[in-house]
Structures are given as structure tokens and as C-alpha cells.
Amino acid sequence: MKSTSLNPHLNYDLYAHGIVESVGEGVTELVPGDHVLPVFTGECKECAHCMSEESNLCDLLRINVDRGVMIDDGQSRFTIDGKPIFHFLGTSTFSEYTVIHVGCVAKIDPEAPLDKVCLLSCGISTGLGATLNVTKPKKGMTVAIFGLGAVGLAAMEGARMSGASRIIGVDLNPAKHEQAKKFGCTDFVNPKDHTKPVQEVIVEMTDGGVNRAVECTGNADAMISAFECVHDGWGVAHKEAVFKTHPMNFLNERTLRGTFFGNYKPRTGLPGVVDMYMRKELELDKFITHSLPFSQINTAFDLMLRGEGLRCVIRMEE
């Protein structure tokens, strides 16, 4: 029974942190009292993906929104009035206690503040890793970030940490500009302010295009723009999508890569990201715009849907 029981404190966007209460049969990497980050995707450390340096798409534990049960026996660990409650994304972190497969739990520095590093269980690591692990800009390069939500700003944080000399934020919401400055944004472009395609605007303002571009909206048109604003001979990385572009873009040595969860293997990679925060290299605090008790979780969702906050940490205690 490779599972772990946790007592988690959570924030509302699938992020969580917890303290191990007990471990099941066969669990050797964790002991009660360990501080951990539960993650919606896992790392079995045995499949071809986990053994590869190039992939984090674990065969056993990759994200599966339909599973809802423990892998070992196909059963839920939760019931109410005799009826099963299914495990949402294998974590069920909107609860005071949960049971999680050990492969979906990353052991972290016990000194790390759990109400801050909980952000690393999902979107912040996704954006950060898209820059640090995939596009890998070198010091002095120019980087464009499309979409300035929390994931995009995390990608921007990665560009800042990499020493990018110019970081261009692209978003349809002009209010995002001021907030993006905290994450290293040097230039802001709103596509609605221009009559020509935004990629042409960026190519002109950078004398040929940026060195790297990261697309964080999931919009196919934005993906095309991100791809085509990159300078000849350089690269771009963003989420997977079907889109059309002229073959000459590839002959001109532009490259395209997709990334899932920032290419981080949860158990192997996340402890190091926590360490970045502890060394004050990664600035997590500025992502937290609200903190609310669990009784106000609906208010937290409203804030998210209205775009009025980046991340809201939900406290189990009132």
C-alpha cells in the first residue's frame, strides 16, 4: 500500500502542503512528521519517463482526472454515508486529512514556510520551469511572456532569475502591466493597442525578435504570435496545441517545445525549487495576494474568476 496520510493546509488552485501523519506498507522514503508538497502528477521513479532526463510524464502517476481512486486496489479511501468520495486528481487536498500515493508527494526542507511553498505544487512551478528548464535563456537575452496570469508571471520570474536583459510582457489587460513590473517586466505590449499582429510589433521593437518566448494562455493565436516573434535562429517553448505557421519559420531555425509542469519531476525536482526560495533566489511571497479561512473558499474562487488576485492561500483554521 504505497500511500501516505497527510494533514494538509491548502490554497485554492490545487496547491497544497502537508505534514505526513502515517505511511503505508512499502513506503520507505517518508516518515511521520516529514514536510511535503502533494502534487497532482507523480513520479514513480521506475518507468521509462521517470528514468529519462527529458521527460516527467510518469507512466503510472501522470495526471488523470478520471481515476479518482487509489492505484493499488482501485478503491477510494473516503466515504460519506456509506458512499465513496473520489480522490480529486489523486490528492483531495480540500480536506484536513487526505491519503496520497507516495509518488505524488515531494519531501521538502522542514524549515520552509508551508503557507508559502504550497504555491509550488502546481502553476508557479509550471511557469518557472517553462523558463528555467525548457527555454533556458542566458544572461542578457531578451524574453517575451504571453499571458500575465500567475503561470505567466512565474515564467517571467524565471526570466528575471536567469538575468534576462529585457522582459516583454504581453497581455490584453492593461492593468497587468504594473503588477508585472514586480516580476522583472521591462516592456509591456497590449495587442489591442496595435493594428498589426503583435509578433510584428515585438520583432520591430527588438530589432529582429526576442531570443525566447513563453506562451502561458493556451490560446492558439497567442501560440502562433509567440512562435513568430522569436528571432531567426533562436527558440520558443510553450504548451502543446495545434496551430498553423509557415514552414519557413522552421527553416529559419526557430524551434518549438511543449512543457508539462515545467518539466519538473515532482519528487526529484520540487525540493530544489523550495531550496531556491529558501536561498532568496525565488520570490514567492509576491504571488500571494489573498489569504482566507476555508469557510470563505467560495470568495477565493470568486477572486480567481474575476482576475482580482494571483494566488489565495486557504487556511484550514478560522
Side-chain angles (χ1 to χ4, degrees), residues 145-233:
I145 309 294
F146 284 70
L148 302 182
V151 175
L153 292 176
M156 187 171 285
E157 177 77 354
R160 180 195 67 78
M161 293 170 63
S162 298
S165 62
R166 194 173 183 184
I167 303 174
I168 302 170
V170 183
D171 202 285
L172 297 174
N173 183 352
K176 296 291 184 70
H177 185 195
E178 199 62 33
Q179 189 174 53
K181 290 179 181 178
K182 301 177 184 177
F183 296 84
C185 184
T186 59
D187 302 81
F188 180 81
V189 178
N190 185 339
K192 293 190 294 185
D193 293 340
H194 303 274
T195 57
K196 62 179 65 176
V198 68
Q199 56 265 47
E200 294 182 16
V201 174
I202 294 174
V203 166
E204 289 179 3
M205 66 189 287
T206 56
D207 192 25
V210 295
N211 302 121
R212 300 286 189 270
V214 185
E215 192 284 316
C216 303
T217 70
N219 179 280
D221 290 336
M223 294 178 185
I224 295 170
S225 296
F227 182 57
E228 295 183 354
C229 81
V230 176
H231 197 290
D232 292 358

Coordinates of all heavy atoms in Angstrom, one line a residue, residues 145-233:
I145 N 6.9 37.1 -22.7 CA 6.0 36.2 -22.0 C 4.6 36.6 -22.4 O 4.1 37.7 -22.2 CB 6.1 36.4 -20.4 CG1 7.6 36.3 -20.0 CG2 5.2 35.4 -19.7 CD1 8.2 34.9 -20.2
F146 N 3.8 35.6 -23.0 CA 2.5 35.9 -23.4 C 1.5 35.3 -22.4 O 1.5 34.2 -22.0 CB 2.2 35.1 -24.7 CG 2.9 35.8 -25.9 CD1 4.2 35.8 -26.1 CD2 2.1 36.4 -26.9 CE1 4.8 36.5 -27.2 CE2 2.6 37.1 -28.0 CZ 4.0 37.1 -28.1
G147 N 0.7 36.3 -21.8 CA -0.2 35.9 -20.7 C 0.4 36.1 -19.4 O 1.3 35.4 -19.0
L148 N -0.2 37.1 -18.7 CA 0.4 37.5 -17.4 C -0.5 37.2 -16.2 O -0.6 38.0 -15.2 CB 0.7 39.0 -17.4 CG 1.7 39.5 -18.5 CD1 2.0 40.9 -18.4 CD2 3.0 38.6 -18.5
G149 N -1.0 36.0 -16.2 CA -1.6 35.4 -15.0 C -0.5 34.9 -14.2 O 0.7 35.1 -14.4
A150 N -0.8 34.1 -13.2 CA 0.2 33.6 -12.2 C 1.2 32.7 -12.9 O 2.4 32.8 -12.6 CB -0.5 32.8 -11.1
V151 N 0.8 31.9 -13.9 CA 1.7 31.0 -14.6 C 2.7 31.8 -15.4 O 3.9 31.6 -15.4 CB 1.0 30.0 -15.5 CG1 2.0 29.2 -16.3 CG2 0.2 29.0 -14.6
G152 N 2.1 32.8 -16.2 CA 3.0 33.7 -17.0 C 3.9 34.5 -16.1 O 5.1 34.7 -16.5
L153 N 3.5 35.0 -15.0 CA 4.3 35.8 -14.1 C 5.4 34.9 -13.5 O 6.5 35.3 -13.2 CB 3.5 36.5 -13.0 CG 2.6 37.6 -13.5 CD1 1.8 38.2 -12.4 CD2 3.4 38.7 -14.2
A154 N 5.1 33.6 -13.3 CA 6.1 32.7 -12.8 C 7.2 32.4 -13.9 O 8.4 32.3 -13.6 CB 5.5 31.3 -12.4
A155 N 6.7 32.4 -15.1 CA 7.7 32.3 -16.3 C 8.6 33.5 -16.3 O 9.8 33.5 -16.6 CB 6.9 32.1 -17.6
M156 N 7.9 34.7 -16.0 CA 8.7 35.9 -16.0 C 9.7 35.9 -14.9 O 10.8 36.5 -15.0 CB 7.7 37.1 -15.9 CG 8.3 38.5 -16.0 SD 7.0 39.8 -16.1 CE 6.5 39.6 -17.8
E157 N 9.3 35.4 -13.7 CA 10.2 35.3 -12.6 C 11.4 34.5 -13.0 O 12.5 34.8 -12.6 CB 9.5 34.7 -11.4 CG 10.3 34.4 -10.2 CD 10.6 35.7 -9.4 OE1 10.2 36.8 -9.8 OE2 11.2 35.5 -8.3
G158 N 11.2 33.4 -13.7 CA 12.3 32.6 -14.2 C 13.2 33.4 -15.1 O 14.4 33.2 -15.1
A159 N 12.6 34.2 -16.0 CA 13.4 35.0 -16.9 C 14.3 36.0 -16.1 O 15.4 36.3 -16.3 CB 12.5 35.8 -17.9
R160 N 13.6 36.6 -15.0 CA 14.4 37.5 -14.1 C 15.5 36.8 -13.4 O 16.6 37.4 -13.4 CB 13.4 38.1 -13.1 CG 14.1 39.1 -12.1 CD 13.2 39.3 -10.9 NE 13.0 38.1 -10.0 CZ 14.0 37.7 -9.2 NH1 15.1 38.3 -9.1 NH2 13.8 36.6 -8.5
M161 N 15.3 35.6 -12.9 CA 16.3 34.9 -12.2 C 17.4 34.5 -13.2 O 18.6 34.4 -12.8 CB 15.7 33.6 -11.6 CG 14.7 33.9 -10.5 SD 13.8 32.4 -10.0 CE 15.2 31.4 -9.4
S162 N 17.1 34.3 -14.5 CA 18.1 33.9 -15.5 C 19.0 35.1 -15.9 O 20.0 34.9 -16.6 CB 17.4 33.3 -16.7 OG 16.7 32.2 -16.3
G163 N 18.6 36.3 -15.5 CA 19.4 37.5 -15.9 C 19.0 38.1 -17.2 O 19.9 38.8 -17.9
A164 N 17.8 37.9 -17.7 CA 17.4 38.4 -19.0 C 17.5 39.9 -18.9 O 17.1 40.6 -17.9 CB 15.9 38.0 -19.3
S165 N 18.0 40.5 -20.0 CA 18.2 42.0 -20.0 C 16.9 42.7 -20.4 O 16.8 43.9 -20.0 CB 19.3 42.3 -21.1 OG 18.9 41.9 -22.4
R166 N 16.0 42.1 -21.1 CA 14.8 42.7 -21.4 C 13.7 41.6 -21.4 O 13.8 40.6 -22.0 CB 14.9 43.3 -22.9 CG 13.8 44.2 -23.2 CD 14.1 44.9 -24.6 NE 13.1 45.9 -25.0 CZ 13.1 46.5 -26.1 NH1 14.0 46.3 -27.0 NH2 12.1 47.4 -26.4
I167 N 12.6 41.9 -20.6 CA 11.5 41.0 -20.5 C 10.2 41.7 -20.9 O 9.8 42.7 -20.3 CB 11.4 40.5 -19.0 CG1 12.7 39.9 -18.6 CG2 10.2 39.5 -18.9 CD1 12.7 39.5 -17.1
I168 N 9.6 41.2 -22.0 CA 8.4 41.8 -22.6 C 7.2 41.0 -22.2 O 7.1 39.9 -22.5 CB 8.6 41.9 -24.1 CG1 9.8 42.6 -24.5 CG2 7.3 42.5 -24.7 CD1 10.2 42.5 -26.0
G169 N 6.3 41.7 -21.5 CA 5.0 41.1 -21.1 C 4.0 41.4 -22.1 O 3.8 42.6 -22.5
V170 N 3.2 40.4 -22.5 CA 2.1 40.6 -23.5 C 0.8 40.1 -22.9 O 0.6 39.0 -22.4 CB 2.4 39.7 -24.8 CG1 1.3 40.0 -25.8 CG2 3.8 40.1 -25.3
D171 N -0.2 41.0 -22.8 CA -1.5 40.7 -22.2 C -2.5 41.7 -22.8 O -2.2 42.9 -23.1 CB -1.4 40.8 -20.7 CG -2.5 39.9 -20.1 OD1 -3.7 40.4 -20.1 OD2 -2.2 38.9 -19.6
L172 N -3.8 41.2 -22.8 CA -4.9 42.1 -23.3 C -5.4 43.0 -22.2 O -6.2 43.9 -22.5 CB -6.0 41.2 -23.8 CG -5.7 40.3 -25.0 CD1 -6.9 39.4 -25.3 CD2 -5.4 41.2 -26.2
N173 N -5.0 42.7 -20.9 CA -5.4 43.5 -19.8 C -4.4 44.5 -19.4 O -3.3 44.2 -18.9 CB -5.8 42.6 -18.6 CG -6.3 43.4 -17.4 OD1 -6.4 44.6 -17.4 ND2 -6.8 42.6 -16.4
P174 N -4.6 45.8 -19.7 CA -3.6 46.8 -19.4 C -3.2 46.9 -17.9 O -2.1 47.4 -17.5 CB -4.2 48.2 -19.9 CG -5.7 47.9 -19.9 CD -5.8 46.5 -20.2
A175 N -4.1 46.5 -17.0 CA -3.9 46.5 -15.6 C -2.8 45.6 -15.2 O -2.2 45.7 -14.1 CB -5.2 46.2 -14.8
K176 N -2.5 44.6 -16.0 CA -1.4 43.6 -15.7 C 0.0 44.2 -15.7 O 0.9 43.7 -15.2 CB -1.5 42.4 -16.7 CG -2.8 41.6 -16.6 CD -2.9 40.9 -15.3 CE -4.1 40.0 -15.3 NZ -4.0 38.8 -16.2
H177 N 0.1 45.4 -16.4 CA 1.5 45.9 -16.6 C 2.1 46.3 -15.2 O 3.3 45.9 -15.0 CB 1.4 47.2 -17.5 CG 2.8 47.7 -17.8 ND1 3.0 49.0 -18.3 CD2 4.0 47.2 -17.7 CE1 4.2 49.2 -18.5 NE2 4.9 48.2 -18.1
E178 N 1.4 47.0 -14.4 CA 2.0 47.5 -13.1 C 2.4 46.3 -12.3 O 3.5 46.3 -11.6 CB 1.0 48.4 -12.4 CG 1.6 49.2 -11.3 CD 2.7 50.2 -11.9 OE1 2.5 50.7 -13.0 OE2 3.6 50.5 -11.2
Q179 N 1.5 45.3 -12.2 CA 1.8 44.1 -11.4 C 3.1 43.4 -12.0 O 3.9 42.9 -11.2 CB 0.6 43.2 -11.4 CG 0.7 42.0 -10.4 CD -0.6 41.2 -10.4 OE1 -1.1 40.8 -11.4 NE2 -1.1 41.1 -9.2
A180 N 3.2 43.3 -13.3 CA 4.3 42.6 -13.9 C 5.6 43.2 -13.6 O 6.7 42.5 -13.7 CB 4.0 42.5 -15.4
K181 N 5.7 44.5 -13.3 CA 6.9 45.1 -13.0 C 7.6 44.5 -11.8 O 8.8 44.5 -11.8 CB 6.7 46.6 -12.8 CG 6.3 47.4 -14.0 CD 6.1 48.9 -13.7 CE 5.7 49.7 -14.9 NZ 5.4 51.1 -14.5
K182 N 6.8 44.0 -10.9 CA 7.4 43.3 -9.7 C 8.1 42.0 -10.1 O 8.9 41.5 -9.3 CB 6.3 43.0 -8.7 CG 5.5 44.2 -8.2 CD 4.3 43.7 -7.3 CE 3.5 44.9 -6.9 NZ 2.3 44.4 -6.0
F183 N 7.9 41.5 -11.3 CA 8.4 40.2 -11.7 C 9.5 40.4 -12.7 O 10.0 39.5 -13.4 CB 7.3 39.3 -12.2 CG 6.3 38.9 -11.2 CD1 5.3 39.8 -10.9 CD2 6.5 37.8 -10.4 CE1 4.3 39.4 -9.9 CE2 5.5 37.4 -9.5 CZ 4.5 38.3 -9.2
G184 N 9.9 41.7 -13.0 CA 11.0 41.9 -13.9 C 10.6 42.4 -15.3 O 11.5 42.6 -16.1
C185 N 9.3 42.7 -15.5 CA 8.9 43.2 -16.8 C 9.5 44.5 -17.1 O 9.3 45.5 -16.3 CB 7.3 43.3 -16.8 SG 6.6 43.7 -18.4
T186 N 10.1 44.6 -18.3 CA 10.7 45.9 -18.7 C 9.9 46.6 -19.7 O 10.0 47.8 -19.9 CB 12.1 45.7 -19.3 OG1 12.0 44.8 -20.4 CG2 13.1 45.1 -18.2
D187 N 9.1 45.8 -20.5 CA 8.2 46.4 -21.6 C 6.9 45.7 -21.5 O 6.8 44.5 -21.2 CB 8.9 46.2 -22.9 CG 10.2 46.8 -23.1 OD1 11.2 46.1 -22.6 OD2 10.3 47.9 -23.6
F188 N 5.8 46.4 -21.9 CA 4.5 45.8 -21.9 C 3.9 46.1 -23.3 O 3.9 47.2 -23.8 CB 3.6 46.4 -20.8 CG 2.2 45.8 -20.7 CD1 2.0 44.6 -20.2 CD2 1.2 46.5 -21.3 CE1 0.7 44.1 -20.1 CE2 -0.1 46.0 -21.3 CZ -0.4 44.8 -20.7
V189 N 3.3 45.0 -23.8 CA 2.6 45.2 -25.1 C 1.2 44.6 -25.0 O 1.0 43.5 -24.6 CB 3.3 44.4 -26.2 CG1 2.6 44.5 -27.6 CG2 4.8 45.0 -26.4
N190 N 0.2 45.5 -25.3 CA -1.2 45.0 -25.4 C -1.6 44.9 -26.9 O -1.6 45.9 -27.6 CB -2.1 46.1 -24.7 CG -3.6 45.6 -24.7 OD1 -4.0 44.8 -25.4 ND2 -4.3 46.2 -23.7
P191 N -1.8 43.7 -27.4 CA -2.1 43.5 -28.8 C -3.3 44.4 -29.3 O -3.3 44.8 -30.5 CB -2.5 42.0 -28.9 CG -1.8 41.4 -27.7 CD -1.8 42.4 -26.6
K192 N -4.2 44.8 -28.4 CA -5.3 45.6 -28.8 C -4.9 47.0 -29.1 O -5.7 47.8 -29.7 CB -6.4 45.6 -27.7 CG -7.1 44.2 -27.5 CD -8.3 44.3 -26.6 CE -7.9 44.7 -25.2 NZ -9.1 44.7 -24.3
D193 N -3.7 47.4 -28.7 CA -3.2 48.8 -29.0 C -2.6 48.9 -30.3 O -2.1 50.0 -30.7 CB -2.2 49.2 -27.9 CG -2.8 49.4 -26.5 OD1 -4.1 49.5 -26.4 OD2 -2.1 49.3 -25.5
H194 N -2.6 47.9 -31.1 CA -1.9 47.9 -32.4 C -2.7 47.3 -33.5 O -3.5 46.4 -33.3 CB -0.6 47.1 -32.3 CG 0.4 47.5 -31.2 ND1 1.3 48.5 -31.4 CD2 0.5 47.1 -29.9 CE1 1.9 48.7 -30.2 NE2 1.5 47.9 -29.3
T195 N -2.5 47.9 -34.7 CA -3.3 47.4 -35.9 C -2.6 46.2 -36.6 O -3.2 45.5 -37.3 CB -3.4 48.6 -36.9 OG1 -2.1 49.1 -37.3 CG2 -4.3 49.7 -36.3
K196 N -1.3 46.0 -36.3 CA -0.6 44.9 -36.9 C -0.5 43.8 -35.9 O -0.6 44.0 -34.7 CB 0.8 45.4 -37.4 CG 1.7 45.9 -36.2 CD 3.1 46.3 -36.7 CE 3.0 47.5 -37.7 NZ 4.4 47.9 -38.1
P197 N -0.2 42.6 -36.4 CA 0.0 41.4 -35.4 C 1.0 41.7 -34.4 O 2.1 42.3 -34.7 CB 0.4 40.3 -36.4 CG -0.2 40.7 -37.7 CD -0.1 42.2 -37.8
V198 N 0.8 41.2 -33.2 CA 1.7 41.6 -32.1 C 3.1 41.0 -32.3 O 4.0 41.6 -31.8 CB 1.1 41.1 -30.7 CG1 1.1 39.5 -30.7 CG2 1.8 41.6 -29.5
Q199 N 3.2 39.9 -33.0 CA 4.5 39.4 -33.3 C 5.3 40.4 -34.1 O 6.6 40.5 -33.9 CB 4.5 38.0 -33.9 CG 3.7 37.9 -35.2 CD 2.3 37.5 -35.0 OE1 1.6 38.0 -34.1 NE2 1.8 36.5 -35.8
E200 N 4.7 41.1 -35.0 CA 5.4 42.1 -35.8 C 5.8 43.3 -35.0 O 6.9 43.8 -35.2 CB 4.5 42.5 -37.0 CG 4.2 41.5 -38.0 CD 3.4 42.0 -39.2 OE1 3.3 43.2 -39.4 OE2 2.8 41.1 -39.9
V201 N 5.0 43.6 -34.0 CA 5.3 44.7 -33.1 C 6.6 44.4 -32.3 O 7.5 45.2 -32.2 CB 4.1 45.0 -32.2 CG1 4.5 46.0 -31.1 CG2 2.9 45.5 -32.9
I202 N 6.6 43.1 -31.8 CA 7.7 42.7 -31.0 C 9.0 42.6 -31.8 O 10.1 43.0 -31.4 CB 7.4 41.4 -30.3 CG1 6.3 41.6 -29.2 CG2 8.6 40.8 -29.5 CD1 5.7 40.4 -28.6
V203 N 8.9 42.1 -33.0 CA 10.0 42.0 -33.9 C 10.6 43.4 -34.2 O 11.9 43.5 -34.1 CB 9.7 41.3 -35.2 CG1 10.8 41.4 -36.3 CG2 9.4 39.8 -35.0
E204 N 9.8 44.3 -34.4 CA 10.3 45.7 -34.7 C 10.9 46.3 -33.4 O 12.0 46.9 -33.5 CB 9.1 46.6 -35.1 CG 8.6 46.2 -36.5 CD 7.4 47.1 -37.0 OE1 7.1 48.0 -36.2 OE2 6.9 46.9 -38.1
M205 N 10.3 46.1 -32.3 CA 10.8 46.8 -31.1 C 12.1 46.1 -30.5 O 12.8 46.7 -29.7 CB 9.8 46.8 -30.0 CG 9.3 45.5 -29.4 SD 7.9 45.7 -28.3 CE 8.6 46.4 -26.9
T206 N 12.4 44.9 -31.0 CA 13.6 44.2 -30.6 C 14.6 44.0 -31.7 O 15.6 43.2 -31.6 CB 13.2 42.8 -30.0 OG1 12.5 42.1 -31.0 CG2 12.4 42.9 -28.8
D207 N 14.4 44.7 -32.8 CA 15.4 44.6 -33.9 C 15.6 43.2 -34.5 O 16.7 42.7 -34.6 CB 16.7 45.2 -33.5 CG 17.6 45.5 -34.7 OD1 17.1 45.6 -35.9 OD2 18.9 45.5 -34.6
G208 N 14.4 42.5 -34.7 CA 14.5 41.2 -35.3 C 13.8 40.1 -34.5 O 13.6 39.0 -35.0
G209 N 13.5 40.4 -33.3 CA 12.8 39.4 -32.5 C 13.5 39.1 -31.2 O 14.7 39.4 -31.0
V210 N 12.8 38.4 -30.3 CA 13.3 38.1 -29.0 C 14.1 36.8 -29.1 O 14.0 36.0 -30.0 CB 12.2 37.9 -27.9 CG1 11.5 39.2 -27.7 CG2 11.2 36.9 -28.3
N211 N 14.9 36.5 -28.1 CA 15.7 35.2 -28.0 C 14.8 34.1 -27.6 O 15.0 32.9 -28.0 CB 16.9 35.4 -27.1 CG 17.8 36.5 -27.5 OD1 18.0 37.4 -26.7 ND2 18.4 36.5 -28.7
R212 N 13.9 34.3 -26.7 CA 13.0 33.3 -26.2 C 11.6 33.9 -26.0 O 11.4 35.1 -25.7 CB 13.5 32.8 -24.8 CG 14.9 32.2 -24.8 CD 14.9 30.8 -25.4 NE 16.2 30.2 -25.2 CZ 17.2 30.3 -26.0 NH1 17.1 31.0 -27.1 NH2 18.3 29.6 -25.7
A213 N 10.6 33.0 -26.2 CA 9.2 33.4 -25.9 C 8.5 32.2 -25.2 O 8.7 31.1 -25.6 CB 8.5 33.8 -27.2
V214 N 7.7 32.6 -24.2 CA 6.9 31.6 -23.5 C 5.5 31.9 -23.5 O 5.1 33.1 -23.2 CB 7.4 31.4 -22.0 CG1 6.7 30.3 -21.3 CG2 8.9 31.2 -22.0
E215 N 4.6 31.0 -24.0 CA 3.2 31.3 -24.1 C 2.5 30.6 -23.0 O 2.6 29.4 -22.8 CB 2.7 30.8 -25.5 CG 1.3 31.3 -25.8 CD 0.2 30.5 -25.1 OE1 0.3 29.3 -24.9 OE2 -0.7 31.2 -24.6
C216 N 1.7 31.4 -22.2 CA 1.1 30.9 -21.0 C -0.5 31.1 -20.9 O -1.0 31.2 -19.9 CB 1.7 31.5 -19.8 SG 3.5 31.3 -19.7
T217 N -1.1 31.1 -22.1 CA -2.6 31.3 -22.1 C -3.3 30.1 -22.6 O -4.5 29.9 -22.3 CB -2.9 32.5 -23.0 OG1 -2.7 32.1 -24.4 CG2 -2.1 33.8 -22.7
G218 N -2.7 29.3 -23.4 CA -3.4 28.1 -24.0 C -4.1 28.5 -25.2 O -4.8 27.7 -25.8
N219 N -4.0 29.8 -25.7 CA -4.7 30.3 -26.9 C -3.9 30.0 -28.1 O -2.7 30.4 -28.1 CB -5.1 31.7 -26.7 CG -5.8 32.3 -27.9 OD1 -5.1 32.7 -28.9 ND2 -7.1 32.5 -27.8
A220 N -4.4 29.4 -29.1 CA -3.6 29.0 -30.3 C -3.1 30.2 -31.0 O -2.0 30.2 -31.5 CB -4.5 28.1 -31.2
D221 N -3.9 31.3 -31.1 CA -3.4 32.5 -31.8 C -2.2 33.1 -31.0 O -1.2 33.6 -31.6 CB -4.5 33.5 -31.9 CG -5.6 33.1 -32.8 OD1 -5.3 32.4 -33.8 OD2 -6.8 33.6 -32.7
A222 N -2.3 33.1 -29.7 CA -1.1 33.5 -28.9 C 0.1 32.7 -29.1 O 1.2 33.2 -29.1 CB -1.5 33.6 -27.4
M223 N -0.1 31.4 -29.3 CA 1.0 30.5 -29.5 C 1.7 30.8 -30.8 O 2.9 30.8 -30.9 CB 0.5 29.0 -29.5 CG 0.0 28.5 -28.2 SD -0.7 26.8 -28.4 CE -1.3 26.6 -26.7
I224 N 0.9 31.1 -31.9 CA 1.5 31.5 -33.1 C 2.3 32.8 -33.0 O 3.4 32.9 -33.5 CB 0.4 31.6 -34.2 CG1 -0.3 30.3 -34.5 CG2 0.9 32.2 -35.5 CD1 -1.6 30.4 -35.3
S225 N 1.7 33.7 -32.3 CA 2.4 35.0 -32.1 C 3.7 34.8 -31.3 O 4.7 35.4 -31.7 CB 1.5 36.0 -31.3 OG 0.3 36.3 -32.1
A226 N 3.7 34.0 -30.3 CA 4.9 33.7 -29.5 C 5.9 33.1 -30.4 O 7.1 33.5 -30.3 CB 4.6 32.9 -28.3
F227 N 5.5 32.1 -31.2 CA 6.5 31.4 -32.1 C 7.1 32.4 -33.1 O 8.3 32.4 -33.3 CB 5.7 30.3 -32.7 CG 6.6 29.4 -33.6 CD1 7.7 28.8 -33.1 CD2 6.3 29.3 -35.0 CE1 8.5 28.0 -34.0 CE2 7.1 28.5 -35.8 CZ 8.2 27.8 -35.3
E228 N 6.3 33.2 -33.7 CA 6.7 34.1 -34.8 C 7.4 35.3 -34.3 O 8.0 36.1 -35.1 CB 5.6 34.4 -35.7 CG 5.0 33.1 -36.4 CD 3.9 33.3 -37.4 OE1 3.5 34.5 -37.5 OE2 3.5 32.4 -38.1
C229 N 7.4 35.6 -33.0 CA 8.1 36.8 -32.5 C 9.6 36.5 -32.1 O 10.3 37.4 -31.8 CB 7.4 37.5 -31.4 SG 7.7 36.7 -29.7
V230 N 9.9 35.3 -32.3 CA 11.3 34.8 -31.9 C 12.2 35.1 -33.1 O 11.9 34.9 -34.2 CB 11.3 33.3 -31.6 CG1 12.8 32.9 -31.3 CG2 10.5 33.1 -30.3
H231 N 13.4 35.6 -32.8 CA 14.4 36.0 -33.8 C 14.8 34.7 -34.5 O 14.9 33.6 -34.0 CB 15.6 36.6 -33.1 CG 16.5 37.3 -34.0 ND1 17.3 36.7 -34.9 CD2 16.8 38.7 -34.2 CE1 18.0 37.6 -35.6 NE2 17.7 38.8 -35.2
D232 N 15.2 34.9 -35.8 CA 15.7 33.8 -36.6 C 16.9 33.2 -35.9 O 17.7 33.9 -35.3 CB 16.2 34.3 -38.0 CG 15.1 34.8 -38.9 OD1 13.9 34.7 -38.5 OD2 15.4 35.2 -40.0
G233 N 16.9 31.8 -35.8 CA 18.0 31.1 -35.2 C 17.8 30.9 -33.7 O 18.7 30.3 -33.1

